């Protein structure tokens, strides 16, 4: 069982096609969590395990995987990148300490990347930028880096640089000399160190006084710099060829905050705010940030970030402020669509429960000793609607039940019966989302509907 200090939780954010899923697959393969490199194109991805994701070749819900590196357990949440599927990306953010913003070197900074990065900044999350696909043709990395610094701030500093052959990267944290076609390694090292020590006044004084700052001192302040926002490290990868992935893992495990180093999660109950320390011996408190249904068995899975306390299979858990408790059953770790049982879920970890049908995304899971609600980033209101009619008479009740499950999976998918027109109306963030959701219903429940513009 992992120790809270040795856990690192990251959420991969960025526009569709930036390579978030490929990066997660590469991490799983590099760390030995998977014995083959999963591919979105070849439909062998561990993260994109739904039939609809394989068919459309992009994520439609968040996926949770885990790997071990340098004695640390890394929990990775891979999120969808299309604006239509922003809901699952936003609800996943509170479950991680660090937001890893993935940018395609060829496409540059796209709309959803900027939007999600801003939401992470508003939530005071430490951020790390990954420039992926560095082997793409006709790319201008100096212009992209300049653009990153203009949009996300001058605190974006290179923690490594691509080598001339783009088949490896050069560390700029410990190296102060070397050549990269992007910029001088010495210059990158100096800029990075200056951004790190900005978070510590005494180190800044020593540095300005001409003192040599040791690598150990830099490492001790690095997490503070990320939390204070004086530094957003920029690293380079080619996920499909596994270039720069080990170096990225080294930075995550060495320099990003553990759950007990991050700002404590807060519960609000009226005027009272309770801070949840990442302590396995504290009261149990967790957030349900993801709800899924197995397409074959229809079994419900609730994925929970445990902020405080320890959850065991025989304990009693409560949903929000409800008095009645339930047994969680087996405590599971998700690896994409697969799960394996673990002994307990401790403060800082991400776990999954099966068949606890009462739970919903956004719920507080607790042991009855604390009350309140998590302060969460609101998801966008669905503005695009279609009226639905059963393709087969008599399917109304089944369709209603199937749609309710889809609403649980994506907070931006809503269903209502229009009181005036008597039409069943599905609403989402765009046509792509609604079509995929209805495709999901057809694949899982063998139910189909005819769609038309809603009456006004």
């Amino acid at each position: 069982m992992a120790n809270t200090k040795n856990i690192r939780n990251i959420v991969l954010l960025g526009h569709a096609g930036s390579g978030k899923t490929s990066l997660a697959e590469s991490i799983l393969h590099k760390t030995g969590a998977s014995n083959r490199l999963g591919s979105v194109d070849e439909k062998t991805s561990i993260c994109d395990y739904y039939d609809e994701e394989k068919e459309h070749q992009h994520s439609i819900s968040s996926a949770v995987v885990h790997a071990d590196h340098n004695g640390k357990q890394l929990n990775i949440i891979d999120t969808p990148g299309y604006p239509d599927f922003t809901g699952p990306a936003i609800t996943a953010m509170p479950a991680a300490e660090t937001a890893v913003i993935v940018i395609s070197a060829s496409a540059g900074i796209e709309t959803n990347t900027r939007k999600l990065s801003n939401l992470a900044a508003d939530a005071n999350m430490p951020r790390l930028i990954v420039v992926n696909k560095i082997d793409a043709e006709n790319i201008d990395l100096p212009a992209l880096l300049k653009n990153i610094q203009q949009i996300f701030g001058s605190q974006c500093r290179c923690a490594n640089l691509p080598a001339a052959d783009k088949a490896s990267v050069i560390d700029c944290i410990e190296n102060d000399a070397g050549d990269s076609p992007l910029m001088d390694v010495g210059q990158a090292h100096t800029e990075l160190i200056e951004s790190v020590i900005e978070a510590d006044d005494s180190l800044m004084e020593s540095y300005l006084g001409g003192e040599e700052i040791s690598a150990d001192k830099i490492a001790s302040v690095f997490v503070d710099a990320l939390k204070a926002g004086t530094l957003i490290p920029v690293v380079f990868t080619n996920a499909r060829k596994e270039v720069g992935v080990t170096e990225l893992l080294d930075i995550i495990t060495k320099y990003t905050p553990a759950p007990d180093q991050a700002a404590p999660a807060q519960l609000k109950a009226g005027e009272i705010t309770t801070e949840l320390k990442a302590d396995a011996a504290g009261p149990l408190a967790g957030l349900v940030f993801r709800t899924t249904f197995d397409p074959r068995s229809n079994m419900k899975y609730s994925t929970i970030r445990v902020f405080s306390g320890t959850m065991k299979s025989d304990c009693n858990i409560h949903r929000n402020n409800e008095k009645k408790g339930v047994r969680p059953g087996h405590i599971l770790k998700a690896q994409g669509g697969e799960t394996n049982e673990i002994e307990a879920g401790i403060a800082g970890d991400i776990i999954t429960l099966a068949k606890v049908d009462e739970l919903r995304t956004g719920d507080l899971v607790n042991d009855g000793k604390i009350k309140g609600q998590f302060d969460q980033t609101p998801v966008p209101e669905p503005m695009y609607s279609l009226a639905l009619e059963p393709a087969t008479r008599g399917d109304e009740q089944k369709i209603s039940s199937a749609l309710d499950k889809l609403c649980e999976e994506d907070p931006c998918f809503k269903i209502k019966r229009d009181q005036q027109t008597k039409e069943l109306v599905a609403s989402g963030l765009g046509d792509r989302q609604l079509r995929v959701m209805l495709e999901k219903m057809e694949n899982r429940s063998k139910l189909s509907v005819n769609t038309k513009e809603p009456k006004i």
Side-chain angles (χ1 to χ4, degrees):
M1 193 167 71
N3 174 309
T4 300
K5 288 185 186 308
N6 292 331
I7 294 171
R8 299 292 181 274
N9 297 306
I10 65 165
V11 58
L12 301 176
L13 303 172
H15 203 87
S18 58
K20 301 181 298 298
T21 301
S22 296
L23 188 61
E25 298 295 333
S26 195
I27 288 171
L28 294 177
H29 187 236
K30 271 281 184 187
T31 55
S34 159
N35 57 15
R36 60 170 168 76
L37 180 59
S39 162
V40 174
D41 292 345
E42 292 168 17
K43 304 179 181 180
T44 56
S45 164
I46 291 170
C47 294
D48 284 355
Y49 56 91
Y50 284 126
D51 290 343
E52 298 79 19
E53 291 175 319
K54 290 177 182 178
E55 182 62 32
H56 295 282
Q57 299 195 334
H58 65 76
S59 304
I60 57 175
S61 61
S62 57
V64 179
V65 291
H66 59 95
D68 294 321
H69 182 73
N70 286 348
K72 305 286 190 290
Q73 179 191 288
L74 181 61
N75 292 318
I76 305 156
I77 309 167
D78 176 32
T79 67
Y82 275 110
D84 283 32
F85 300 100
T86 300
I90 294 173
T91 56
M93 283 165 62
E97 278 73 49
T98 305
V100 175
I101 314 296
V102 185
I103 297 169
S104 160
S106 54
I109 302 163
E110 297 168 275
T111 333
N112 220 28
T113 307
R114 195 185 298 207
K115 193 186 291 178
L116 291 166
S117 179
N118 289 343
L119 287 175
D122 293 344
N124 294 317
M125 287 182 84
R127 286 173 292 165
L128 189 155
I129 291 173
V130 173
V131 177
N132 190 31
K133 304 187 179 181
I134 57 170
D135 65 330
E137 288 179 18
N138 304 320
I139 55 171
D140 186 345
L141 287 178
L144 177 56
L145 181 60
K146 191 176 176 186
N147 203 13
I148 286 169
Q149 291 172 331
Q150 281 172 345
I151 290 172
F152 300 124
S154 58
Q155 67 270 41
C156 297
R157 300 296 189 192
C158 293
N160 62 37
L161 290 167
D165 62 0
K166 294 181 181 173
S168 62
V169 293
I170 305 154
D171 174 28
C172 301
I173 301 173
E174 297 186 6
N175 288 339
D176 57 6
D179 289 316
S180 165
L182 179 51
M183 67 187 289
D184 178 67
V185 174
Q187 182 195 341
H189 172 79
T190 302
E191 289 176 355
L192 181 82
I193 299 309
E194 286 176 355
S195 288
V196 172
I197 59 178
E198 219 179 292
D200 188 294
D201 292 341
S202 62
L203 262 192
M204 181 62 98
E205 251 178 66
S206 306
Y207 180 77
L208 293 174
E211 192 181 308
E212 185 72 32
I213 309 294
S214 71
D216 285 349
K217 278 189 179 170
I218 294 297
S220 69
V221 180
F222 213 101
V223 167
D224 294 334
L226 278 179
K227 282 161 60 182
T230 66
L231 172 67
I232 301 173
V234 180
V235 302
F236 295 84
T237 63
N238 174 2
R240 285 186 176 175
K241 291 184 180 167
E242 303 187 314
V243 173
V245 174
T246 301
E247 291 80 358
L248 169 64
L249 285 165
D250 290 343
I251 289 168
I252 290 168
T253 52
K254 200 171 177 182
Y255 298 118
T256 65
D260 60 351
Q261 292 174 305
Q266 294 188 335
L267 273 180
K268 292 191 175 161
E271 297 294 304
I272 302 163
T273 299
T274 307
E275 288 201 336
L276 299 171
K277 288 184 180 157
D279 177 7
L284 176 64
L287 168 70
V288 180
F289 69 89
R290 175 178 173 269
T291 303
T292 57
F293 289 86
D294 184 273
R296 283 156 194 88
S297 66
N298 238 342
M299 193 186 291
K300 182 175 178 176
Y301 288 100
S302 306
T303 306
I304 298 165
R305 164 62 200 268
V306 183
F307 286 105
S308 167
T310 300
M311 190 189 296
K312 293 190 174 178
S313 59
D314 60 352
C315 71
N316 212 23
I317 59 169
H318 298 258
R319 173 182 178 249
N320 300 323
N321 301 329
E322 291 174 4
K323 291 199 166 90
K324 184 174 176 273
V326 292
R327 288 284 166 98
H330 301 300
I331 311 292
L332 308 169
K333 284 292 283 184
Q335 195 71 297
E338 302 294 318
T339 57
N340 60 292
E341 193 174 347
I342 57 169
E343 192 182 316
I346 60 159
D349 206 356
I350 290 174
I351 58 150
T352 295
L353 302 182
K355 296 191 281 194
V356 186
D357 293 336
E358 298 88 343
L359 297 178
R360 299 283 184 277
T361 299
D363 281 349
L364 161 70
V365 176
N366 64 92
D367 55 8
K369 294 177 184 169
I370 47 175
K371 287 185 176 177
Q373 283 189 314
F374 288 100
D375 207 5
Q376 294 173 74
T377 303
V379 296
E381 264 312 304
M383 303 296 280
Y384 181 87
S385 299
L386 286 173
L388 312 179
E389 285 180 346
T392 308
R393 285 185 67 182
D395 276 352
E396 286 87 350
Q397 196 56 49
K398 289 180 192 169
I399 285 170
S400 180
S401 172
L403 289 170
D404 285 346
K405 287 178 179 172
L406 294 176
C407 290
E408 283 196 60
E409 290 193 322
D410 190 324
C412 297
F413 181 68
K414 301 274 173 71
I415 296 293
K416 71 167 186 183
R417 177 74 65 179
D418 191 298
Q419 292 306 311
Q420 288 179 305
T421 65
K422 308 298 179 200
E423 286 184 317
L424 183 64
V425 178
S427 301
L429 300 182
D431 182 65
R432 184 193 294 267
Q433 183 193 20
L434 291 194
R435 298 293 171 196
V436 168
M437 287 307 207
L438 297 179
E439 192 183 313
K440 248 188 184 186
M441 181 174 73
E442 196 163 342
N443 290 345
R444 290 182 187 183
S445 308
K446 305 293 180 275
L447 295 166
S448 56
V449 292
N450 299 322
T451 61
K452 59 180 184 179
E453 291 288 313
K455 288 178 194 166
I456 293 169

